[in-house]
Amino acid sequence: KETSEDFLKIQDAFLQEMTREKGIVDGDSLEATALDKRLVLWQGDISTLKVDAIVNACNSALLGCFIPNHNCIDNVEHSMAGVEMRYACFRQMQEQGHEEAIGQCKITPGYNLPAKYVLHTVGPMVQGKLTEKEIKELKSCYRACLTKATESKCKSVAFCCISTGVFMFPKDKAAEIAVSTVREWLDTHPESTVERVIFNVFTEEDKGIYEELLKG
């Protein structure tokens, strides 16, 4: 539900100060990769990135993580954006009338995040051997986010490692899909406003995987 203006005033000041203390990173200042000048690799907290849009790997309810203090990207982004983002997602889901399908994308403002927008996408969950269906679904996540970003005239988009956490998509394959799908989409959509795509990683393992793929 909606909350009071008094609460939002206090919350917004608190969250914005928290972000300033963590340090805001300008996405335009990051160095491009050797493989493709449109692509960037960056390790850090995605909630501190100043870009047009960051991607949130969410659940099908699209209402943020339901586990308090859980260290997932869904929880981090909703926590630092503030309660208005959860309510914005709620309104969209009420209007839709059913859970979000895998491989689609919804967009909300970034509220207290440095990013203007958040692109919410549900990735595939892998249980057992990786299937062709799950590979297609992950590709769809990247394409849907880039399409939605273009519709909102975004020039820069930062992707998290979709589905590689609790959704158990193999990290190597997920990174390979991310890089190849983004490059192919950009090549085949010259009309897109997206000029820069940042692959945001958090762990050293993910950083090493992407470095290998992007070294040119």
Side-chain angles (χ1 to χ4, degrees):
K1 62 182 181 180
E2 289 186 271
T3 191
S4 70
E5 289 298 321
D6 288 342
F7 174 85
L8 291 177
K9 185 176 179 181
I10 296 168
Q11 173 207 250
D12 293 354
F14 176 71
L15 291 177
Q16 288 167 27
E17 180 59 26
M18 278 187 70
T19 299
R20 280 193 293 271
E21 287 179 358
K22 287 195 292 184
I24 296 172
V25 178
D26 186 351
D28 289 340
S29 70
L30 301 174
E31 187 178 351
T33 64
L35 177 69
D36 191 325
K37 297 305 178 185
R38 301 169 298 182
L39 308 182
V40 174
L41 175 61
W42 180 72
Q43 183 181 25
D45 179 353
I46 199 169
S47 71
T48 65
L49 264 183
K50 183 182 178 183
V51 289
D52 287 338
I54 60 173
V55 172
N56 177 33
C58 59
N59 58 55
S60 59
L62 221 73
L63 294 176
C65 177
F66 297 113
I67 305 172
N69 300 316
H70 190 230
N71 192 30
C72 67
I73 197 157
D74 198 14
N75 207 21
V76 168
E77 292 189 24
H78 271 279
S79 295
M80 296 309 298
V83 297
E84 285 178 293
M85 191 163 84
R86 197 180 297 256
Y87 187 61
C89 289
F90 170 76
R91 290 199 307 269
Q92 290 193 52
M93 295 305 287
Q94 287 289 103
E95 183 178 338
Q96 179 167 281
H98 58 81
E99 289 193 336
E100 184 75 348
I102 295 170
Q104 304 301 307
C105 178
K106 293 279 193 295
I107 190 168
T108 65
Y111 297 99
N112 292 294
L113 292 162
K116 291 179 186 176
Y117 299 104
V118 177
L119 302 163
H120 305 265
T121 189
V122 182
M125 181 178 287
V126 177
Q127 296 175 318
K129 187 178 179 181
L130 183 64
T131 66
E132 192 61 36
K133 178 176 179 288
E134 291 154 354
I135 290 171
K136 288 179 180 178
E137 288 172 338
L138 186 59
K139 289 180 179 179
S140 180
C141 289
Y142 286 93
R143 292 168 181 152
C145 287
L146 290 168
T147 298
K148 189 68 73 173
T150 296
E151 289 172 1
S152 297
K153 297 180 170 51
C154 296
K155 292 185 177 180
S156 54
V157 177
F159 281 99
C160 58
C161 301
I162 301 169
S163 281
T164 59
V166 295
F167 280 21
M168 300 298 289
F169 204 105
K171 293 175 181 291
D172 289 9
K173 186 63 177 177
E176 179 188 315
I177 289 168
V179 173
S180 62
T181 303
V182 166
R183 294 185 77 199
E184 180 187 8
W185 193 94
L186 292 174
D187 287 342
T188 55
H189 293 80
E191 77 286 357
S192 173
T193 58
V194 178
E195 298 172 352
R196 166 165 281 220
V197 172
I198 300 168
F199 294 111
N200 166 244
V201 297
F202 197 71
T203 67
E204 286 294 324
E205 180 185 4
D206 285 325
K207 182 184 177 184
I209 292 169
Y210 273 90
E211 280 178 338
E212 189 65 26
L213 288 167
L214 296 167
K215 65 183 181 181

